[in-house]
């Protein structure tokens, strides 16, 4: 948008600067960070007044969480506002990948908002029916995947394998939608402690900044043996806007949290990252870089599967971060150790770029 404005006003110096992706991506980070920090205090106070009792706290969870009663939720709206304004200012308005990924981010955020609103209104942690929620998520994710593969193709790529392993045609839409929905819900399940989901999202986003840039550059993509998708370099603007918005949110979400992001934020961020992975054809690398989220989701699946068949629990409580709380780890200990794991997994995922 600023590119169009600079061209209309006749500022050749600014126009030339905006052409560089690196400049626009860095500016997107600063813009999202500034918006989040500026609006944060007013926005949190607004949520506190409107919500009253805040997010419902499960009585069967760790007892230390009961002290969090009254903390407002839906803080993800602050992230979404910061990201949206920043991206629209600095993106290339003709880029279909940015539009598709932004649509997923906002669409999943809207679903999360409805879920959070239902929880706050009814003072219950159930939210909207799971089948309805999943149907809406697959609808949004499927449309976004279809939009992206029209330009990027339907070839499937695997880590450690140079070149495509095959063209899966229309099945790619189903596959891409599954990746987006699965990762959105994985991040959602991880968001159970102050700052636990936010920093791993930042780490994963930074890893995909590099991937998106390399995939969008023909020379680097050819050298590394990774798919080349023209135009994905502009996804760095979206990813670094997410980084800036998340850092601003973390300022207020640091223990003790003044606000929770809720499903509004966690679903949106997870869905957005999943969409970027589909756009860059690095879905399986996302499972490594975002391995922390994958483990959190698997812990819930395993717990439910085993309990329904045997009546026994594999973990003291799922998702797995609650298991470690029940084992005596303090909340800051769990959060920081999980951050370290997220960082190591991001490095492991990036290492697959050269091992092909």
């Amino acid at each position: 948008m600023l590119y169009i404005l600079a061209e209309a006003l006749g500022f050749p110096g600014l126009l030339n600067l905006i052409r560089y992706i690196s400049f626009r991506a860095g500016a997107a980070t600063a813009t999202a960070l500034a918006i989040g920090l500026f609006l944060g205090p007013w926005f949190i106070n607004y949520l506190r007044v409107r919500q009253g009792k805040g997010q419902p706290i499960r009585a069967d969870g760790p007892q230390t969480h009961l002290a969090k009663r009254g903390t407002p939720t839906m803080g993800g709206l602050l992230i979404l506002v910061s990201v949206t304004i920043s991206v629209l200012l600095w993106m290339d308005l003709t880029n279909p990948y940015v539009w598709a990924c932004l649509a997923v981010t906002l669409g999943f955020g809207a679903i999360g908002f409805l879920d959070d609103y239902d929880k706050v209104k009814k003072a219950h942690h159930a939210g909207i029916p799971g089948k309805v929620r999943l149907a809406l998520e697959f609808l949004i994710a499927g449309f976004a995947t279809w939009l992206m593969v029209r330009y990027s193709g339907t070839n499937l790529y695997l880590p450690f394998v140079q070149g495509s392993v095959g063209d899966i045609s229309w099945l790619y839409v189903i596959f891409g939608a599954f990746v987006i929905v699965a990762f959105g819900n994985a991040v959602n399940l991880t968001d159970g402690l102050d700052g636990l989901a936010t920093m791993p999202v930042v780490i994963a986003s930074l890893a995909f900044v590099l991937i998106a840039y390399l995939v969008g550059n023909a020379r680097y993509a050819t050298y590394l043996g990774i798919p080349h998708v023209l135009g994905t370099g502009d996804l760095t603007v979206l990813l670094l806007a997410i980084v800036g918005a998340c850092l601003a949110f973390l300022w207020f979400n640091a223990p003790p949290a003044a606000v929770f992001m809720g499903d509004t934020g966690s679903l949106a961020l997870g869905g957005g990252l999943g969409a970027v992975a589909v756009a860059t054809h690095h879905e399986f690398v996302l499972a490594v870089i975002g391995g922390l989220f994958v483990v959190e989701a698997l812990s819930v699946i395993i717990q439910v599967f085993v309990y329904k068949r045997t009546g026994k629990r594999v973990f003291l409580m799922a998702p797995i971060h609650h298991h470690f709380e029940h084992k005596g780890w303090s909340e800051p200990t769990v959060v920081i150790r999980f951050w370290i794991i997220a960082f190591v997994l991001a490095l492991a995922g990036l290492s697959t770029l050269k091992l092909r």
Side-chain angles (χ1 to χ4, degrees), residues 43-280:
F43 186 72
I44 293 169
N45 185 61
Y46 173 80
L47 290 177
R48 187 176 291 112
V49 172
R50 295 286 296 178
Q51 294 180 10
K53 294 182 180 179
Q55 178 173 299
I57 304 297
R58 293 182 57 168
D60 59 345
Q63 294 302 300
T64 54
H65 289 206
L66 298 178
K68 299 182 181 184
R69 282 176 175 164
T71 304
T73 187
M74 299 186 194
L77 286 172
L78 180 63
I79 296 174
L80 292 178
V81 169
S82 303
V83 168
T84 303
I85 294 175
S86 179
V87 170
L88 292 178
L89 279 173
W90 297 107
M91 71 175 282
D92 175 1
L93 295 176
T94 65
N95 190 297
Y97 302 110
V98 180
W99 281 117
C101 294
L102 184 61
V104 170
T105 304
L106 295 178
F108 275 43
I111 296 170
F113 173 81
L114 293 175
D115 202 54
D116 286 334
Y117 181 80
D118 193 67
K119 291 175 183 177
V120 171
K121 184 178 179 181
K122 297 178 180 178
H124 195 271
H125 57 78
I128 60 177
K131 290 182 179 179
V132 174
R133 178 167 141 168
L134 281 175
L136 291 172
E137 289 172 9
F138 269 104
L139 185 65
I140 294 169
F143 174 75
T145 302
W146 170 80
L147 179 62
M148 290 188 287
V149 298
R150 290 173 62 208
Y151 301 94
S152 66
T154 53
N155 287 314
L156 189 66
Y157 295 84
L158 297 176
F160 309 113
V161 178
Q162 190 167 13
S164 167
V165 295
D167 187 339
I168 59 175
S169 187
W170 60 269
L171 287 174
Y172 202 101
V173 175
I174 299 174
F175 170 66
F178 172 79
V179 169
I180 294 170
V181 172
F183 205 73
N185 285 280
V187 175
N188 180 229
L189 290 170
T190 306
D191 183 37
L193 303 178
D194 298 347
L196 178 59
T198 312
M199 185 54 69
V201 165
V202 168
I203 293 169
S205 296
L206 289 173
F208 265 90
V209 164
L210 180 60
I211 290 172
Y213 181 78
L214 293 174
V215 168
N217 187 294
R219 182 182 299 176
Y220 292 136
T222 301
Y223 170 70
L224 293 170
I226 59 178
H228 169 54
V229 183
L230 183 65
T232 57
D234 231 64
L235 287 172
T236 58
V237 175
L238 172 62
L239 290 164
L240 284 176
I242 288 174
V243 169
C246 283
L247 290 176
F249 177 78
L250 189 60
W251 184 269
F252 305 106
N253 185 238
V259 65
F260 299 139
M261 75 163 65
D263 292 0
T264 308
S266 56
L267 262 183
L269 294 172
L273 280 171
V276 170
V278 171
T280 57

Side-chain angles (χ1 to χ4, degrees), residues 242-315:
I242 288 174
V243 169
C246 283
L247 290 176
F249 177 78
L250 189 60
W251 184 269
F252 305 106
N253 185 238
V259 65
F260 299 139
M261 75 163 65
D263 292 0
T264 308
S266 56
L267 262 183
L269 294 172
L273 280 171
V276 170
V278 171
T280 57
H281 288 273
H282 275 70
E283 301 89 355
F284 292 98
V285 175
L286 175 66
V288 180
I289 291 175
L292 175 67
F293 303 116
V294 175
V295 170
E296 289 273 12
L298 285 176
S299 70
V300 174
I301 295 171
I302 293 169
Q303 185 87 322
V304 173
F305 180 83
V306 173
Y307 185 77
K308 282 186 175 181
R309 283 154 181 77
T310 67
K312 297 180 180 180
R313 290 181 171 85
V314 177
F315 306 102

